Amino acid sequence: MPTDPKIPAPPAADQTPPPPRSDKTDIVAGLLLMLTAGLFGWQTTGLNIGTTLRMGPGYFPAILSGLLFLLGLVIFVKSFRSTTEEPIGRIAWRGMLLILPAPVFFGLTVRGLGFVPSIFLATLIASMASMRMKPLMALVLSVIVTIFSALVFSYALGLPFRRFGPWLPF
Amino acid sequence: MDFMSNLALGFSVASTMENLAFCLIGALLGTLIGVLPGIGATATIAMLLPITFQLEPVSSLIMLAGIYYGAQYGGSTTAILINMPGESSSAVTAIDGYQMARQGRAGAALAVAAIGSFFAGTVATFLVAIFAPPLTTIALKFGSAEYFSLLVLGLIMSVALAHGSVLKALAMVVLGLLLGMVGNDVYEGTPRFTMGITAFADGLNFVALAVGVFGIAEILRNLENEHDRAVVTSHVGRLWPSRTDFRAMIAPILRGTGLGAVLGILPGGGAILASFASYTVEKRLSKNPKEFGHGAIAGVAGPESANNAGAQTSFIPLLTLGIPANPVMALMIGAMIIQGIVPGPNVAIEQPGLFWGVIASMWIGNLMLVILNLPLIGLWVKLLTVPYFILFPIIMAMCAIGVYSVNSNIYDLYAVAFFGLLGYVMGKLRFEPAPLLLGFVLGPLLEEHLRRAMILSRGDPMTFVTRPISLTLLVLACIVLVLVLVPAVRRNRAEVFTESEV
Amino acid sequence: MAIRSLSGAFCAAIVLSSAAFAQGYPERQITMVVPFAAGGPTDTVARLVGEKMSTDLGRQIIIENVGGAGGTLGAARVAQADPDGYTLLLHHIGMATSASLYRSLPYDTLEAFEYVGLVTEVPMVMVARRDFEPADFPAFIAYVKENAGTVSMANAGIGAASHLCGMLFQSAIETQFVTVPYRGTGPAMTDLLGGQVDFMCDQTTNTSQQIRGGTVKAYAVTTPERLELFPDLPTVAEEGLPQMEVSIWHGIYAPKGTPEEVTERLSAALQVALADPGVARSMADLGTAPSPAEDATPAALKNQLETEIARWQPVIESAGVYAD
């Protein structure tokens, strides 16, 4: 089977098991799980637990939050005796800063600006996430995407989007 | 034989030139819209539904069937090419399909999915034609107690979805279950975990979650290392599965078809389990389960067949009872009513031409799909050669439109961003998204059936063991649990030796 | 006003006269918000009527499904929309009941809308699993009262038509029994067919085919008169429970401040659509009928909404159920 050299080999075990040490990833993972479980558990406190015949809305979430906390705890404890060590690696800050806001921006403006300007700007924002994208290229790409989407979704399929919204003067 | 004459009637209705053309147009449109990232089968069908209203009832339903299969296949295509599943079933396909694509085997993965789907569709169509009425009787035997036990079985199986730490997979299932609780409680109407946002009263949007944790997280991962290397494969590899591939996919397709056909009949959530269950079975039976999660062909062939067979047999409750098994079926019912056909137990008797015409068109729809898509594979795969920095803004735009189009709910778009971040962080911490998604899909069902079973039994938990089907399922669940745990222990020891050979 | 009470053949005349008021309207396509998912019964009603209204108005009416939170999300959307006649709402009885079911709504149900007209009133039928013992409605009531501890009634979730009818039934026979909520009518009906629950009261949209197919047992209809579709089924009033009379009425609304000419024009278009034989036929298949022309008017809908809010408030408060 030809494998691409760029693909990392399956994680799992190395040739010789290294001595146990603490795994930072799992420490963070365990802590985060416990925190999440705590948040859900806290939100559950206001809910009615009910009885076995009529389980309340809090019954199931309470059990699940408890279970999640336990799992987090076990992962946390086990992390100090780990045999795998994998670095967290680089973090896509620029990607996060520009990719994640794109749908949010679309949501905030689609009803006000209208579908056409909103999808254009959202695509423009997203395309800036790559270092390789030149400004002119981004503009061209966004225009093409906008025209395509307007033709397909608004004109051909007749989705109930307002093409230009009330925020615009025309 | 009676069903032969029925099928003949069906084919005579479905295979007029006109209806064939509508079926083809439906399949084509379904594929083209469904292949847009972030637009799943439900959204595709909702978008294309109004087009069918102008047609004759039979043509309209036939075109809808085409759209349905096209949309389903389109969803698998995006799952394989860019890790963007549009619905729960293709989330399983994404696990190994996307890995195959990264290794330059996208063409093979797509072909396997198409062939598996076609085979499963053919078999399941005949099952529907022959056994629809008796199968319905079985489906009606499933009450909430039975569904609960079935879901427990499904959850235990889900551990096999993980290819890393079992503990972490379990944690993801539980987190998924909790996320599934978001929204107003069905029984008392109390809002849970909605943070006061009424838009989440009916729960988080599945597409938003799937697109976020799979697709957007993957885009972010790909953007990490832009500095020093080209992102993702640009080499395409061979288009067609090799002979070894063909041999490797036969058994999984057969098993997937069987599993999917059986589970699809159950309207209370069986079809959802089909692809997950098939993946588990394949991984258990495989000679090298380590391959799963890294591009195993069986991990695409099995679930895709199961999914399609299940999709097919889930028409059974719709056609024989007039009850929709899932949102897509609900859309179909809406279309039927607008056409003046109220689906119900009498449709088969009152309008045999329509009833059997639709069944025949299911098969024709599947055939169209293969004819259409095998040549299209080349085109889809070429998409991968588009530079990534051009591809992902397009993906983002389509996602935004697709997610928004379902319910015009802007909070679904915020959810996309949130789950994109969550998926990325999870990836960094070596958590896998598939178990999370399974938990999310099954969570509400599990709770609903548990609580309903307890209400119906007047609070007696013995209901789960005194009802024979439920008991059988629970026993099965115990067996699977043992099977899951035992090899895990054994393999841990064996791993050290096998790993160097791979 | 005399003109309006004439129906059918005179609709064309009304259209012409009202068209003179609303000069220029409509100039572009109109969005009709359905606060439920595509493919459901309300969506079906909207699409049936919307298509015919489009023909009369000369502009396309497109359906936008804004589902969620028992229809209140879609209603809120329309309440906040521009009152220019280009955003409408098609909602059912839930418009009146959500005023009491929800303690905090983002709009004031009686103040936030203008009215176009009633569209249809869907009757409801009390149905039970096929092998449920009682032979007729009086026997059914007696049986439920006697076995209140063991019978179970299904409904399609809080605020659903079946839930409303169930609440009425419980208060009408003054008996408490176990109710089993489902996520929508589909699963509830499946369990009824499978005999997992005993009975349910739901719209003919969902029950008529099952009754005709003999897969469920029908006891009574909740309308003042017997239905053409099932002439043998008694009404609840005949059997001594007039307080159980209920129908799932649908109405079209516009945001507060929409000019009267516009709502009148829309109402005229609605009357034309409802007089269409195709619409009547499709509705008959569903076990319902178009509202008569005199009900497809702003005044009739306003009156209906006010009456129904007043009627449901005590029922919901005494049942103590809330959807938020």
Side-chain angles (χ1 to χ4, degrees):
Chain A
M1 180 184 79
T3 41
D4 191 303
K6 288 188 285 267
I7 309 299
D14 298 320
Q15 283 76 3
T16 50
R21 61 186 157 201
S22 64
D23 178 351
K24 289 193 199 67
T25 322
D26 275 7
I27 296 179
V28 178
L31 286 174
L32 264 182
L33 284 179
M34 287 190 278
L35 180 72
T36 315
L39 281 176
F40 274 106
W42 173 57
Q43 288 282 310
T44 309
T45 50
L47 299 172
N48 172 26
I49 299 287
T51 62
T52 334
L53 165 59
R54 275 258 171 201
M55 294 180 193
Y59 197 102
F60 221 61
I63 295 176
L64 290 175
S65 314
L67 203 58
L68 188 65
F69 187 86
L70 271 182
L71 284 166
L73 188 69
V74 175
I75 291 171
F76 178 72
V77 170
K78 280 186 75 172
S79 69
F80 293 103
R81 294 187 48 81
S82 167
T83 49
T84 51
E85 174 74 75
E86 210 185 328
I88 290 220
R90 200 174 273 144
I91 295 182
W93 291 113
R94 185 187 171 116
M96 279 200 274
L97 275 175
L98 291 162
I99 288 279
L100 298 177
V104 175
F105 178 86
F106 181 72
L108 287 173
T109 58
V110 65
R111 300 190 61 78
L113 284 178
F115 176 70
V116 172
S118 186
I119 198 68
F120 171 76
L121 291 171
T123 316
L124 199 62
I125 294 173
S127 57
M128 291 311 197
S130 168
M131 330 258 300
R132 291 158 186 258
M133 183 62 90
K134 308 272 182 309
L136 182 67
M137 184 79 148
L139 267 176
V140 173
L141 181 67
S142 306
V143 168
I144 295 175
V145 167
T146 307
I147 294 174
F148 172 83
S149 319
L151 284 180
V152 170
F153 297 104
S154 193
Y155 288 94
L157 294 178
L159 295 193
F161 298 141
R162 242 173 118 165
R163 281 170 213 129
F164 295 94
W167 294 356
L168 296 172
F170 50 94
Chain B
M1 272 158 94
D2 205 21
F3 89 95
M4 279 316 250
S5 63
N6 284 333
L7 266 190
L9 170 69
F11 274 101
S12 70
V13 173
S15 57
T16 61
M17 271 323 276
E18 202 189 327
N19 286 340
L20 281 179
F22 283 125
C23 194
L24 181 71
I25 297 171
L28 182 67
L29 284 177
T31 311
L32 291 181
I33 301 293
V35 85
L36 295 174
I39 302 181
T42 318
T44 309
I45 293 175
M47 282 182 195
L48 294 174
L49 194 61
I51 300 177
T52 64
F53 291 159
Q54 318 301 330
L55 309 174
E56 291 289 299
V58 182
S59 311
S60 150
L61 287 175
I62 286 175
M63 183 165 168
L64 259 180
I67 291 174
Y68 179 46
Y69 297 116
Q72 281 230 324
Y73 188 74
S76 310
T77 309
T78 39
I80 290 171
L81 292 181
I82 52 175
N83 201 21
M84 211 37 86
E87 58 203 303
S88 55
S89 49
S90 40
V92 182
T93 311
I95 304 174
D96 279 273
Y98 181 63
Q99 291 306 323
M100 284 180 75
R102 297 194 69 176
Q103 293 158 17
R105 293 160 73 211
L110 287 170
V112 165
I115 295 166
S117 295
F118 175 66
F119 177 82
T122 307
V123 173
T125 302
F126 278 94
L127 284 179
V128 172
I130 306 169
F131 295 118
L135 286 179
T136 310
T137 328
I138 298 174
L140 287 179
K141 290 222 164 34
F142 267 68
S144 281
E146 284 77 15
Y147 278 116
F148 175 76
S149 305
L150 179 71
L151 291 164
V152 169
L153 176 63
L155 274 181
I156 290 178
M157 284 182 159
S158 71
V159 177
L161 288 171
H163 44 271
S165 150
V166 173
L167 257 183
K168 284 181 154 181
L170 279 176
M172 281 299 102
V173 171
V174 176
L175 182 61
L177 289 169
L178 272 169
L179 289 172
M181 304 283 115
V182 174
N184 283 13
D185 173 44
V186 185
Y187 290 83
E188 295 182 14
T190 323
R192 293 188 290 188
F193 313 128
T194 56
M195 298 167 290
I197 300 168
T198 350
F200 291 138
D202 294 339
L204 298 167
N205 178 328
F206 173 83
V207 178
L209 179 79
V211 157
V213 295
F214 275 87
I216 301 213
E218 180 62 24
I219 292 179
L220 289 174
R221 271 192 292 278
N222 282 326
L223 288 174
E224 270 169 20
N225 295 316
E226 273 204 314
H227 302 274
D228 36 54
R229 60 171 190 185
V231 177
V232 200
T233 54
S234 49
H235 84 269
V236 157
R238 56 186 297 158
L239 274 186
W240 205 239
S242 64
R243 191 172 299 167
T244 347
D245 289 341
F246 271 114
R247 225 175 298 129
M249 71 196 224
I250 292 173
I253 286 179
L254 288 174
R255 285 189 290 259
T257 304
L259 254 177
V262 172
L263 287 170
I265 299 159
L266 305 171
I272 293 175
L273 284 176
S275 47
F276 289 103
S278 163
Y279 191 86
T280 311
V281 167
E282 293 314 320
K283 192 171 173 181
R284 281 295 136 221
L285 293 179
S286 170
K287 284 191 204 82
N288 31 356
K290 272 280 138 194
E291 209 184 75
F292 279 74
H294 304 287
I297 202 156
V300 177
E304 273 294 305
S305 313
N307 172 31
N308 210 38
Q312 204 85 327
T313 50
S314 67
F315 268 100
I316 291 181
L318 175 71
L319 288 169
T320 55
L321 302 175
I323 289 172
N326 55 44
V328 174
M329 295 295 140
L331 281 173
M332 299 284 254
I333 286 207
M336 285 172 140
I337 292 175
I338 287 168
Q339 294 289 353
I341 310 149
V342 183
N346 291 344
V347 172
I349 303 153
E350 287 170 4
Q351 311 210 27
L354 175 108
F355 183 89
W356 294 102
V358 170
I359 290 185
S361 72
M362 290 178 184
W363 183 77
I364 297 180
N366 273 295
L367 180 69
M368 295 282 180
L369 209 64
V370 173
I371 296 175
L372 257 174
N373 277 292
L374 289 182
L376 279 180
I377 286 175
L379 177 72
W380 301 141
V381 170
K382 280 224 183 62
L383 283 181
L384 287 183
T385 57
V386 174
Y388 199 73
F389 67 94
I390 294 195
L391 202 56
F392 80 80
I394 303 177
I395 296 177
M396 290 306 302
M398 295 303 136
C399 275
I401 297 171
V403 170
Y404 182 68
S405 69
V406 180
N407 249 339
S408 306
N409 185 348
I410 50 177
Y411 284 92
D412 287 345
L413 290 162
Y414 307 154
V416 168
F418 174 77
F419 286 114
L421 180 66
L422 180 76
Y424 184 63
V425 172
M426 276 165 44
K428 283 284 168 205
L429 299 175
R430 298 198 305 271
F431 285 114
E432 292 159 52
L436 177 93
L437 217 53
L438 181 78
F440 177 74
V441 175
L442 296 189
L445 292 172
L446 195 72
E447 186 198 21
E448 231 181 287
H449 287 302
L450 172 63
R451 285 168 75 179
R452 192 176 300 132
M454 294 308 278
I455 292 176
L456 288 172
S457 74
R458 301 294 186 279
D460 179 10
M462 290 305 283
T463 185
F464 297 108
V465 287
T466 49
R467 297 172 68 116
I469 301 180
S470 169
L471 177 67
T472 316
L473 288 166
L474 284 179
V475 169
L476 262 176
C478 290
I479 297 174
V480 172
L481 190 65
V482 173
L483 283 179
V484 168
L485 291 179
V486 170
V489 177
R490 201 174 344 118
R491 229 172 344 102
N492 266 343
R493 261 179 286 140
E495 222 169 60
V496 189
F497 304 100
T498 53
E499 204 63 31
S500 50
E501 297 162 22
V502 174
Chain C
M1 290 308 275
I3 296 175
R4 208 182 291 133
S5 61
L6 297 172
S7 58
F10 289 95
C11 276
I14 300 167
V15 173
L16 288 177
S17 61
S18 59
F21 288 112
Q23 271 298 333
Y25 173 84
E27 290 175 316
R28 52 184 166 91
Q29 69 178 23
I30 300 165
T31 303
M32 184 140 77
V33 170
V34 172
F36 300 98
T42 313
D43 181 63
T44 310
V45 168
R47 285 185 200 269
L48 274 174
V49 181
E51 197 192 321
K52 292 292 175 233
M53 283 177 77
S54 304
T55 327
D56 183 58
L57 291 165
R59 292 285 169 172
Q60 187 71 27
I61 292 187
I62 50 170
I63 307 295
E64 181 172 6
N65 300 97
V66 186
T72 57
L73 288 184
R77 163 81 64 85
V78 177
Q80 287 147 15
D82 291 339
D84 53 7
Y86 293 101
T87 313
L88 307 175
L89 172 72
L90 190 145
H91 202 336
H92 59 42
I93 190 173
M95 189 77 167
T97 51
S98 53
S100 308
L101 276 172
Y102 290 81
R103 284 162 289 196
S104 58
L105 278 183
Y107 54 88
D108 180 336
T109 309
L110 280 172
E111 291 304 316
F113 300 96
E114 302 287 347
Y115 306 89
V116 174
L118 278 163
V119 180
T120 178
E121 299 199 25
V122 185
M124 304 190 78
V125 185
M126 182 67 82
V127 291
R129 61 183 156 86
R130 192 160 39 170
D131 49 356
F132 200 51
E133 235 168 81
D136 53 18
F137 196 57
F140 170 73
I141 296 173
Y143 185 92
V144 171
K145 281 185 166 175
E146 214 165 283
N147 302 291
T150 50
V151 293
S152 50
M153 180 178 196
N155 70 54
I158 288 173
S162 45
H163 177 230
L164 299 175
C165 186
M167 280 196 289
L168 274 186
F169 183 57
Q170 286 211 340
S171 80
I173 66 166
E174 292 169 340
T175 308
Q176 294 295 314
F177 46 80
V178 166
T179 55
V180 191
Y182 287 80
R183 205 181 283 266
T185 299
M189 186 55 87
T190 313
D191 265 13
L192 191 70
L193 296 182
Q196 315 286 348
V197 281
D198 296 322
F199 58 96
M200 173 163 87
C201 170
D202 208 353
Q203 310 177 58
T204 46
T205 334
N206 302 320
T207 52
S208 60
Q209 289 296 315
Q210 305 296 347
I211 297 172
R212 284 174 56 201
T215 48
V216 294
K217 199 179 223 172
Y219 287 114
V221 295
T222 62
T223 41
E225 277 111 44
R226 292 193 178 205
L227 303 182
E228 247 173 73
L229 198 61
F230 305 113
D232 298 337
L233 272 186
T235 68
V236 281
E238 281 173 44
E239 304 286 353
L241 286 181
Q243 65 273 48
M244 235 194 100
E245 270 178 16
V246 55
S247 69
I248 303 306
W249 50 275
H250 295 66
I252 299 181
Y253 307 81
K256 190 77 186 176
T258 307
E260 203 183 325
E261 303 91 83
V262 170
T263 51
E264 287 293 335
R265 176 72 190 88
L266 287 166
S267 167
L270 174 63
Q271 288 163 19
V272 172
L274 294 179
D276 184 90
V279 170
R281 206 179 324 112
S282 304
M283 285 196 181
D285 284 336
L286 296 171
T288 177
S291 293
E294 67 265 22
D295 284 344
T297 58
L301 178 59
K302 183 169 194 284
N303 181 40
Q304 175 83 350
L305 183 67
E306 284 166 357
T307 323
E308 288 281 288
I309 290 181
R311 178 191 180 192
W312 283 100
Q313 199 182 356
V315 178
I316 290 166
E317 275 171 8
S318 73
V321 281
Y322 295 101
D324 64 356

